[in-house]
Amino acid sequence: MATDPIHRLIGELSRLPGVGEKTATRLAFYILRQPKHYAKNLAQALHDVVEQVRFCSSCQNLTAVDPCQLCADPRRNEMIICVTESVQALRAIEHTSEFRGRYHVLHGALSPLDGIGPEELRIKELLLRLRQTPAEEIVLALNPTVEGDATALYLQKLIAPLGIKMTRLAYGVAVGSDLEYTDQATLTRAYLGRQLL
Amino acid sequence: MATDPIHRLIGELSRLPGVGEKTATRLAFYILRQPKHYAKNLAQALHDVVEQVRFCSSCQNLTAVDPCQLCADPRRNEMIICVTESVQALRAIEHTSEFRGRYHVLHGALSPLDGIGPEELRIKELLLRLRQTPAEEIVLALNPTVEGDATALYLQKLIAPLGIKMTRLAYGVAVGSDLEYTDQATLTRAYLGRQLL
């Protein structure tokens, strides 16, 4: 039965996160009911993504062309670099349409318990980049977690000697949220970071 | 952006049932984080499934070899045929290990509102099969729905003249369920089909 294509597809699909055997079976039969080109397009997309996507040699974003579109765009300000933990975070910031500088993706955050030290992150690449092209400001857009904070602290110590201005995203209450249900840590940060009207 | 492999993969994944853009994005980045062979294996499985899987010429089950394993198994009783609406239903019955006869998959149920008439189902193939090989009993394992019941009625009229015994799965309360929460229609059927102890 292991060599049966349907079983094999169910097996492969059930390795996706959040997809159990039931869901994988449902997906497999859904795919089988579609016109042939549907599965072919998905297979081609999977193939292309692993064959073509690599890290941008400058910002470490995932891209099919090197340098990536963001690094190649001459309208973006290369004097300001936004540092993120992941490509998904980069994309989230890009969707705000607020930031028009360059990015740098670390691909993780410091987490000694998980065996992730500075060597596992793209920190060397960031320092190399700063040495090659001067920057005026580095915006740390790291997750407001213990790991994100530790990474921010580490980068701050490393980059301070270069005399570059460093900022981080504001902590505070989320837009549209209810103060009654906002956690204490966030509320404390929002109070400490209160702004003059 | 449309030709970007990551965007294309997200687009293809988001066409799966129950997968929105957010989930597709999560899956795509998960796939990107895995070793290359993971995406390749999934792509190959998708490719194989559409290239190799077809309908069994006898029972209409989906299979990579014709006739399918179930039809080719000489230990199975070919005098009793279990008719199901779908391959998934066939698999569910097969998992009970109770039935050791042959199957016939209709690939749907009569549903005039959805434009599904007898021509859309594999009924012709069933009649042809009954004409070629005699059967002693046909077990209708159709869904206990309006469409399933309509299909059962239709098949009954069609097959009655052939003098073959026809049965259907028992309606009744589900094992482990609570009578208090069992719907009225099911309870009525369970009462009408009560069995002598």
Side-chain angles (χ1 to χ4, degrees):
Chain A
M1 286 297 246
T3 55
D4 176 69
I6 303 179
H7 279 80
R8 206 145 48 78
L9 179 59
I10 293 172
E12 292 296 337
L13 286 171
S14 64
R15 295 172 65 183
L16 289 170
V19 177
E21 207 199 320
K22 281 244 170 181
T23 306
T25 306
R26 193 168 53 87
L27 292 178
F29 281 106
Y30 174 85
I31 290 166
L32 275 164
R33 279 198 308 274
Q34 304 308 304
K36 258 191 183 185
H37 65 80
Y38 174 78
K40 295 254 176 149
N41 287 350
L42 181 50
Q44 190 62 48
L46 283 162
H47 186 267
D48 290 352
V49 102
V50 291
E51 283 304 323
Q52 297 174 10
V53 173
R54 75 211 81 162
F55 296 114
C56 169
S57 58
S58 174
C59 74
Q60 311 299 320
N61 182 14
L62 290 170
T63 176
V65 285
D66 190 16
C68 74
Q69 285 186 320
L70 296 169
C71 285
D73 187 344
R75 292 165 303 175
R76 300 188 75 105
N77 181 358
E78 61 174 5
M79 301 304 279
I80 174 166
I81 296 175
C82 177
V83 177
T84 68
E85 290 181 25
S86 66
V87 176
Q88 290 100 304
L90 179 158
R91 290 158 59 95
I93 291 166
E94 197 52 20
H95 275 144
T96 65
S97 305
E98 201 58 50
F99 180 70
R100 298 296 296 162
R102 298 284 166 86
Y103 288 96
H104 191 88
V105 184
L106 297 177
H107 291 283
L110 292 178
S111 179
L113 286 178
D114 301 316
I116 301 175
E119 286 303 307
E120 276 68 48
L121 308 180
R122 308 281 165 132
I123 293 176
K124 263 192 325 286
E125 290 82 353
L126 175 60
L127 294 177
L128 190 71
R129 208 176 145 187
L130 293 175
R131 234 170 279 144
Q132 285 170 347
T133 324
E136 283 170 357
E137 180 180 350
I138 290 180
V139 184
L140 298 181
L142 304 170
N143 285 339
T145 57
V146 174
E147 292 80 13
D149 288 349
T151 311
L153 209 64
Y154 183 83
L155 289 177
Q156 202 184 340
K157 281 190 183 165
L158 219 57
I159 294 170
L162 305 178
I164 303 169
K165 178 169 129 192
M166 289 186 83
T167 57
R168 62 154 178 75
L169 296 188
Y171 287 114
V173 289
V175 175
S177 65
D178 191 328
L179 288 190
E180 184 181 345
Y181 300 112
T182 301
D183 67 286
Q184 216 177 336
T186 301
L187 217 48
T188 305
R189 295 278 207 161
Y191 173 74
L192 294 173
R194 65 193 181 280
Q195 310 221 329
L196 201 64
L197 288 177
Chain B
M1 288 297 245
T3 56
D4 176 69
I6 303 179
H7 279 80
R8 204 144 51 74
L9 179 59
I10 293 172
E12 293 295 339
L13 287 170
S14 64
R15 295 173 65 184
L16 290 169
V19 177
E21 207 199 320
K22 282 244 168 182
T23 306
T25 305
R26 193 167 53 87
L27 292 177
F29 281 105
Y30 175 85
I31 290 166
L32 275 163
R33 279 198 307 274
Q34 304 309 304
K36 259 191 184 187
H37 65 79
Y38 174 78
K40 294 254 177 149
N41 287 351
L42 181 50
Q44 190 62 49
L46 284 162
H47 186 268
D48 290 352
V49 102
V50 290
E51 283 303 324
Q52 297 173 11
V53 173
R54 73 211 82 163
F55 296 115
C56 170
S57 58
S58 174
C59 74
Q60 312 298 318
N61 183 13
L62 291 170
T63 176
V65 285
D66 190 17
C68 74
Q69 285 187 318
L70 297 169
C71 285
D73 188 345
R75 291 164 304 176
R76 299 189 76 105
N77 181 357
E78 62 175 4
M79 302 302 280
I80 174 165
I81 297 175
C82 177
V83 177
T84 68
E85 290 180 25
S86 66
V87 176
Q88 292 100 304
L90 179 158
R91 289 158 59 95
I93 291 167
E94 197 53 20
H95 276 144
T96 66
S97 306
E98 201 58 51
F99 180 70
R100 297 298 296 163
R102 298 286 165 87
Y103 288 95
H104 190 88
V105 184
L106 297 177
H107 291 282
L110 293 178
S111 180
L113 286 178
D114 301 317
I116 300 175
E119 286 303 308
E120 274 69 47
L121 307 180
R122 308 281 166 131
I123 293 177
K124 263 192 324 289
E125 290 81 354
L126 175 61
L127 293 177
L128 189 70
R129 207 175 146 187
L130 293 176
R131 233 170 281 145
Q132 286 169 346
T133 325
E136 281 171 359
E137 179 179 350
I138 290 181
V139 184
L140 298 180
L142 305 170
N143 285 339
T145 58
V146 175
E147 292 80 13
D149 288 349
T151 310
L153 209 65
Y154 182 84
L155 289 178
Q156 202 183 342
K157 281 190 182 164
L158 218 57
I159 295 170
L162 305 179
I164 302 169
K165 178 169 129 191
M166 289 186 82
T167 57
R168 62 154 178 73
L169 297 187
Y171 286 113
V173 289
V175 175
S177 64
D178 191 328
L179 288 190
E180 184 181 345
Y181 300 111
T182 302
D183 67 285
Q184 215 176 339
T186 300
L187 218 49
T188 305
R189 296 277 207 162
Y191 174 74
L192 294 174
R194 65 195 182 278
Q195 310 218 330
L196 203 62
L197 287 177

